[in-house]
């Protein structure tokens, strides 16, 4: 989205406008740094926009700096990702920390203002919203004096007058509370007020204070827009900071089908901290410690990316660049250049081919971009998006006869953000798997556990794996009639591969390049495989029957439509059977292990005859469709899990082929369209030699800088033009989906390889 933090209003991830305002007053001049609420005010001589200076982000923070007369404002948004800290991970709140620093070494008179509006609570602007202000656990009605103790936490609670438990409208929860909290901290004076947004902001700009009044007129957010504000007055200082926490809190959080019927599940944080007031208070006062833990994750992420690239550099793309590059046909305004490795390239801005090797006109990585920096920019931006789609819940009192969960472990529920809202969609968990394998494999098990409980509890009638646990989050009530989306090879293969991946990655260290730690901590967990082995055998039997020739089944790329005998879908089933051989060996079933192994090998040999172009240059999109191609991303798990069913020659062949069909922002998903999937692109990149991998990574990182998309990180993008959302043959807009976990493919693979080196 074009614009800045203080020219655009906040939006909900689908693009719904919200109100979130931030103003800092310096020596009587009010500088707006957050939101666009000032546009509704009359022209005021002492109100002006702060001047944007810098924007930075990492895996935990988004940081914005502004010039405001003689001070610099820094607004830092922290949504911590702490995958091994289940209690903190379960808290549905984020921080905004706003600070000022004098730039002229002098003290200045400083006040901070911030408010949110009621649009955060409902999609429809004509439904009545109620609100309360709490000081700790105590409610404030009417007017009250604001406490001045630094540890006093104040919280605005916004909620629907008529709530609908376990319901959403346009992805907005219709039950629970939206909360906005702050505290006096070091301010000399602290005040609060709710009321008509224009009145609050106008009063603040003129008087730098609020009246400590709670508006008693409950109403919809389209009626005299209700806003809920805080003011911190620091007096004359050279530096100061304030803190706010914000979030939507549901309790109970999920409805889950068990043998006792559909039961409400409580959020995991309630087991850690108590009631909502205790949770908010803990989170608010945990800011410093959360920052320390967030910095540790971020530092480790950077170190792991640097370590990976120190061992896996891409030095060049061609061993034979001609002295005089030929002219690129069908292009205008082309030019030649030399990249940072001394290799020549051709580029023409008038076409969508990107940068080309002059020796054969195959695509090369965007030059003069360090791949390690490009990859870090992708995974750092992805991290918060991944975890935002998940909720941790306290399991019901009995999870069923084969449950591997207990009262000390949560169940984890995923919302399929933007595409359809399903609960725990298997083929959305699966592409996110690399993140969990890298960050904490237990999270993968917590997410699979509800799927196993449901199917092993006898609720699902089909012989293959279910597609999802419920049509719309947060109702994890499944499909007792077996009428979920039909992707049996896709989902059965996914469940087998994720279960085996969890086993292999269980208890591995955070650092993927620490040999001693790897040796000391390599203790796999076979219990999970043993208790679910009967169900896994059932899935494997289906794969043996249908994976080699899956017919017209859908794959995870269902938006692209049906296609008979998709090459990439078939290889998933074959790799899944190979993984089942390893599972059978682990649970002491050697006869089945041998059968699965021989079946996978036999199927692979037949698959080659159907799937590879007769010229031996690449695999086809569908069996024997010679003019076709696709990203063969489903061979990545074979590499990840050290399954020998895929020979090295296949990886090499595909790696050599992809540059011949690349575009400026990567390689299209298949020959039918010009769009690609970012997660599947990076799964594919992990299977390629370094030069081709760099083509994928740098293309996606470059897209981040220039794309015309205006919402959170999409995983479905055009490889041509401005890199927008696909519009042909039908518009498809994927936003903020957790499949961004697939971007961690390189780090998950590095972890696997490090283990193999240590274990011999």
């Amino acid at each position: 989205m074009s614009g800045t933090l203080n020219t655009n209003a906040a939006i909900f991830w689908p693009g719904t406008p919200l109100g979130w305002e931030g103003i800092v007053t310096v020596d009587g001049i009010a500088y707006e740094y957050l939101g666009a609420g000032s546009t509704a005010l009359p022209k005021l001589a002492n109100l002006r926009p702060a001047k944007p200076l810098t924007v930075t982000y990492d895996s935990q923070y988004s940081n914005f700096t502004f010039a405001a007369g003689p001070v610099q404002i820094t607004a830092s948004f922290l949504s911590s990702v702490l995958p091994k800290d289940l209690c903190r991970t379960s808290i549905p709140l984020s921080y905004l920390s706003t600070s000022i620093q004098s730039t002229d070494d002098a003290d200045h008179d400083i006040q901070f203002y911030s408010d949110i509006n009621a649009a955060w609570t409902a999609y429809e602007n004509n439904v009545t919203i109620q609100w309360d202000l709490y000081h700790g656990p105590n409610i404030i009605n009417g007017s009250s004096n604001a406490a001045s103790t630094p540890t006093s936490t104040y919280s605005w609670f916004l909620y629907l007058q008529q709530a609908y438990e376990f319901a959403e409208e346009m992805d907005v929860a219709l039950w629970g509370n939206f909360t906005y909290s702050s505290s006096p901290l070091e301010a000399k004076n602290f005040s609060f007020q709710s009321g008509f947004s224009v009145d609050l902001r106008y009063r603040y700009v003129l008087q730098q204070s609020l009246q400590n009044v709670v508006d008693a007129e409950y109403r919809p957010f389209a009626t005299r827009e209700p806003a809920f504000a805080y003011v911190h007055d620091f007096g004359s200082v050279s530096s100061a900071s304030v803190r706010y926490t914000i979030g939507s809190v549901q309790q109970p959080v999920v409805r889950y089908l068990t043998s006792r019927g559909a039961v409400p599940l409580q959020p995991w944080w309630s087991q850690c901290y108590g009631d909502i007031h205790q949770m908010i208070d803990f989170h608010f006062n945990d800011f410093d410690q959360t920052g320390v833990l967030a910095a540790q994750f971020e530092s480790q992420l950077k170190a792991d990316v640097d370590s990976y690239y120190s061992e896996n550099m891409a030095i060049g793309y061609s061993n034979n660049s001609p002295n005089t590059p030929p002219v690129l046909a069908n292009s205008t305004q082309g030019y030649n250049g030399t990249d940072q490795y001394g290799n020549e390239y051709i580029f023409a801005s008038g076409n969508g081919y990107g940068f080309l090797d002059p020796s054969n006109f195959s695509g090369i990585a965007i030059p003069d971009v360090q791949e390690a920096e490009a990859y870090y920019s992708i995974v750092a931006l992805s991290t918060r998006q991944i975890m935002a789609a998940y909720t941790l819940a306290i399991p019901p009192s009995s999870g069923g006869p084969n449950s591997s969960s207990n009262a000390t472990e949560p169940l984890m529920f995923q919302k399929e953000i933007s595409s359809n809202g399903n609960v725990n969609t298997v083929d959305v968990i699966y592409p996110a798997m690399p993140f969990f394998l890298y960050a904490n494999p237990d999270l993968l098990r917590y997410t699979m556990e509800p799927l196993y409980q449901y199917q092993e509890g006898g609720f699902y009638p089909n012989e293959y794996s279910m597609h999802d646990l419920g049509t719309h989050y947060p109702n994890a009530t499944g499909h007792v009639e077996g009428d979920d989306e039909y992707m049996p090879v896709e989902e059965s293969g996914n469940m087998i591969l994720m279960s085996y991946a969890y086993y292999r990655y269980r208890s591995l260290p955070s650092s993927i390049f620490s040999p001693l730690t790897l040796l000391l901590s390599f203790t796999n967990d076979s219990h999970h495989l043993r208790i679910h082995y009967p169900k896994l055998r059932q899935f494997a039997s289906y794969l043996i029957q249908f994976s080699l020739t899956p017919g017209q089944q859908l794959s995870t790329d269902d938006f692209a439509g049906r296609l008979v005998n998709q090459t990439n879908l078939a290889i998933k089933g074959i790799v899944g059977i190979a993984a089942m051989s390893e599972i059978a060996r682990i649970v002491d079933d050697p006869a089945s292990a041998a059968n699965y192994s021989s079946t996978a090998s036999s199927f692979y040999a037949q698959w080659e005859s159907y799937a590879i172009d007769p010229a031996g240059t690449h695999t086809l999109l569908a069996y024997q469709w010679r003019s076709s191609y696709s990203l063969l991303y489903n061979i990545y798990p074979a590499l990840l899990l050290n399954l020998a069913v895929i020979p090295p020659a296949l990886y090499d062949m595909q790696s050599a082929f992809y540059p011949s069909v690349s575009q400026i922002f990567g390689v299209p998903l298949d020959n039918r369209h010009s769009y690609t999937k970012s997660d599947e692109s990076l799964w594919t990149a992990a299977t390629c030699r370094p030069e081709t991998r760099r083509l994928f990574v740098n293309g996606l990182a470059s897209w981040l800088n220039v794309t015309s998309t205006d919402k959170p990180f999409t995983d479905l993008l055009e490889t041509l033009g401005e890199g927008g959302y696909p519009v042909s043959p039908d518009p498809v807009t994927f936003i903020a989906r957790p499949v961004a976990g697939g971007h961690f493919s390189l780090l998950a693979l590095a972890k696997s390889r490090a283990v193999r080196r240590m274990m011999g």
Side-chain angles (χ1 to χ4, degrees):
M1 176 178 290
S2 61
T4 65
L5 192 66
N6 60 348
T7 59
N8 293 326
I11 62 169
F12 190 35
W13 62 260
T16 312
L18 305 168
W20 194 0
E21 185 71 11
I23 303 172
V24 173
T25 300
V26 183
D27 298 330
I29 305 299
Y31 295 90
E32 184 178 43
Y33 70 90
L34 170 62
S38 63
T39 59
L41 298 179
K43 186 174 182 180
L44 298 171
N46 65 327
L47 174 61
R48 60 194 63 171
K51 180 182 178 181
L53 297 175
T54 65
V55 179
T56 61
Y57 71 86
D58 59 26
S59 65
Q60 312 287 321
Y61 289 91
S62 295
N63 303 303
F64 301 80
T65 64
F66 301 84
V71 308
Q72 179 171 298
I73 301 171
T74 300
S76 294
F77 299 83
L78 168 61
S79 297
S80 60
V81 176
L82 308 172
K84 294 190 176 180
D85 189 327
L86 300 181
C87 285
R88 286 184 172 91
T89 293
S90 69
I91 296 174
L93 303 174
S94 297
Y95 298 99
L96 166 60
S97 175
T98 304
S99 62
I100 64 96
Q101 180 65 51
S102 172
T103 56
D104 61 2
D105 298 324
D107 288 351
H108 297 276
D109 192 34
I110 301 294
Q111 295 83 33
F112 294 80
Y113 171 94
S114 185
D115 73 46
I116 61 168
N117 72 359
W120 295 81
T121 309
Y123 174 74
E124 295 185 24
N125 64 11
N126 60 350
V127 296
T128 300
I129 296 163
Q130 296 187 191
W131 50 81
D132 298 304
L133 179 66
Y134 284 89
H135 179 202
N138 302 310
I139 195 168
I140 296 174
N141 291 313
S143 62
S144 173
N145 292 325
S148 59
T149 55
T151 57
S152 301
T153 303
Y154 286 80
S155 299
W156 290 108
F157 278 39
L158 286 61
Y159 51 95
L160 295 179
Q161 187 177 76
Q162 179 63 60
Y164 300 90
E165 196 167 70
F166 304 124
E168 293 186 338
E169 183 178 20
M170 299 301 290
D171 295 291
V172 178
L174 299 183
W175 84 108
N177 299 280
F178 194 86
T179 72
Y180 195 46
S181 303
S182 194
S183 173
L185 297 177
E186 303 303 319
K188 291 183 178 179
N189 292 292
F190 173 77
S191 55
F192 59 79
Q193 190 172 345
S194 60
F196 181 29
S197 60
V198 172
D199 291 346
L200 297 184
R201 296 162 190 167
Y202 185 80
R203 174 187 172 85
Y204 169 75
V205 171
L206 294 182
Q207 301 185 26
Q208 292 84 56
S209 67
L210 296 173
Q211 295 178 299
N212 296 329
V213 172
V214 178
D215 186 351
E217 183 188 346
Y218 300 139
R219 57 191 184 272
F221 70 79
T223 304
R224 299 184 70 251
E225 179 187 40
F228 310 89
Y230 299 110
V231 167
H232 296 74
D233 185 347
F234 284 85
S236 185
V237 293
S238 60
S239 64
S241 65
V242 296
R243 183 189 318 149
Y244 313 95
T245 64
I246 189 169
S248 183
V249 183
Q250 281 70 49
Q251 192 175 12
V253 70
V254 167
R255 184 168 65 171
Y256 183 51
L257 185 63
T258 72
S259 58
R260 294 180 288 111
V263 298
L265 300 185
Q266 295 298 320
W268 186 253
W269 58 257
S270 64
Q271 181 169 277
C272 303
Y273 308 114
D275 66 24
I276 186 172
H277 302 288
Q278 292 170 307
M279 181 270 288
I280 290 173
D281 190 64
F282 171 85
H283 178 259
F284 190 91
N285 293 302
D286 191 52
F287 177 71
D288 290 339
Q289 181 59 25
T290 293
V292 169
L293 297 172
Q296 291 173 355
F297 182 94
E298 168 66 13
S299 177
Q300 190 64 64
L301 177 63
K302 283 185 174 179
D304 288 342
V305 170
D306 289 344
S307 296
Y308 173 82
Y309 278 99
S310 70
E311 297 183 4
N312 297 276
M313 289 296 292
I315 302 302
Y317 59 83
S318 174
N319 294 322
N320 186 30
S321 295
N323 293 327
T324 305
V327 176
L328 180 61
N330 301 320
S331 69
T332 59
Q333 300 177 349
Y335 65 86
N336 303 326
T338 303
D339 68 10
Q340 65 267 45
Y341 304 115
N343 293 310
E344 295 177 324
Y345 62 82
I346 299 173
F347 177 77
S349 60
N351 62 49
Y353 301 135
F355 294 84
L356 302 180
D357 180 343
S359 67
N360 58 13
F361 297 117
S362 63
I364 66 165
I366 294 172
D368 303 320
V369 174
Q370 295 298 323
E371 187 188 353
E373 294 178 5
Y375 185 62
Y376 169 76
S377 73
I378 295 167
V379 293
L381 188 62
S382 304
T383 304
R384 284 172 278 168
Q385 178 169 310
I386 299 161
M387 290 305 298
Y390 291 87
T391 297
L392 278 71
I394 300 172
S397 57
S398 175
N402 292 330
S403 172
S404 63
S405 67
N406 54 64
T408 64
E409 295 181 330
L411 296 178
M412 197 158 155
F413 296 92
Q414 176 206 74
K415 179 178 178 180
E416 186 178 336
I417 301 288
S418 85
S419 37
N420 63 11
N422 287 172
V423 184
N424 285 35
T425 308
V426 177
D427 62 291
V428 175
I429 301 169
Y430 180 71
M433 174 176 66
F435 172 78
F436 297 124
L437 299 182
Y438 167 75
N440 182 4
D442 282 335
L443 298 179
L444 184 61
R445 176 166 62 86
Y446 300 152
T447 312
M448 288 190 291
E449 182 61 27
L451 290 157
Y452 274 123
Q453 287 184 11
Y454 189 92
Q455 293 173 98
E456 291 166 346
F459 297 116
Y460 189 66
N462 297 320
E463 59 186 311
Y464 48 79
S465 170
M466 64 193 308
H467 171 268
D468 61 80
L469 198 57
T471 300
H472 201 91
Y473 181 90
N475 293 289
T477 51
H479 302 273
V480 294
E481 295 181 355
D483 56 353
D484 50 326
E485 189 171 8
Y486 184 68
M487 292 186 184
V489 168
E490 174 75 40
E491 311 302 20
S492 298
N494 291 344
M495 288 297 289
I496 291 171
L497 288 164
M498 288 192 292
S499 297
Y500 181 51
Y502 164 74
Y503 164 82
R504 282 187 60 87
Y505 279 76
R506 176 69 169 90
S507 300
L508 296 184
S510 297
S511 175
I512 61 179
F513 297 98
S514 175
L516 179 60
T517 309
L518 282 166
L519 284 171
L520 293 175
S521 64
F522 189 72
T523 55
N524 289 322
D525 175 15
S526 64
H527 175 67
H528 174 76
L529 296 181
R530 292 181 185 278
I531 61 174
H532 298 308
Y533 187 58
K535 185 58 64 176
L536 290 167
R537 281 179 58 90
Q538 180 181 320
F539 297 160
S541 294
Y542 185 88
L543 292 183
I544 290 173
Q545 188 173 1
F546 292 103
S547 63
L548 181 59
T549 52
Q552 207 170 27
Q553 290 191 23
L554 285 170
S555 74
T556 186
D557 301 322
D558 52 356
F559 52 87
R562 295 181 181 275
L563 188 65
V564 175
N565 292 334
Q566 296 182 63
T567 295
N568 194 44
L569 179 60
I571 199 64
K572 169 175 286 185
I574 295 168
V575 173
I577 295 168
M580 196 63 199
S581 174
E582 296 300 312
I583 292 172
R585 178 185 57 79
I586 292 160
V587 302
D588 303 316
D589 184 1
S592 294
N595 179 58
Y596 290 132
S597 179
S598 63
T599 300
S601 296
S602 172
F603 279 10
Y604 178 78
Q606 296 175 70
W607 176 89
E608 273 201 349
S609 67
Y610 302 141
I612 296 178
D613 184 275
T617 56
H618 65 282
T619 56
L620 309 172
L621 171 60
Y623 287 172
Q624 298 182 355
W625 181 8
R626 190 168 188 189
S627 62
S628 68
Y629 71 86
S630 71
L631 297 181
L632 195 67
Y633 55 84
N634 276 327
I635 59 174
Y636 168 69
L639 200 62
L640 183 74
L641 303 176
N642 199 28
L643 300 171
V645 67
I646 306 295
L650 185 74
Y651 296 109
D652 292 340
M653 178 185 71
Q654 291 298 108
S655 182
F657 171 74
Y658 293 131
S660 70
V661 290
S662 65
Q663 305 288 166
I664 184 66
F665 299 127
V667 180
L669 180 61
D670 61 54
N671 58 280
R672 293 174 294 179
H673 310 284
S674 57
Y675 57 62
T676 197
K677 289 283 269 88
S678 64
D679 54 325
E680 292 163 1
S681 289
L682 290 193
W683 276 45
T684 305
T687 70
C688 294
R689 60 195 184 197
E691 307 93 281
T692 304
R693 180 199 66 211
R694 183 170 162 238
L695 173 68
F696 282 99
V697 172
N698 284 14
L700 183 57
S702 175
W703 169 85
L704 284 175
N705 282 327
V706 301
T707 176
S708 61
T709 60
D710 60 353
K711 296 179 180 65
F713 204 154
T714 180
D715 55 289
L716 185 63
L717 58 119
E718 282 290 350
T719 60
L720 295 168
E722 297 180 342
Y725 300 113
V727 295
S728 177
D730 298 301
V732 183
T733 305
F734 288 167
I735 312 166
R737 297 195 333 141
V739 299
H743 300 158
F744 280 75
S745 59
L746 303 183
L747 294 181
L749 183 60
K751 196 172 184 179
S752 174
R753 287 172 170 170
V755 172
R756 292 205 297 271
R757 287 199 301 270
M758 292 304 102
M759 303 308 293

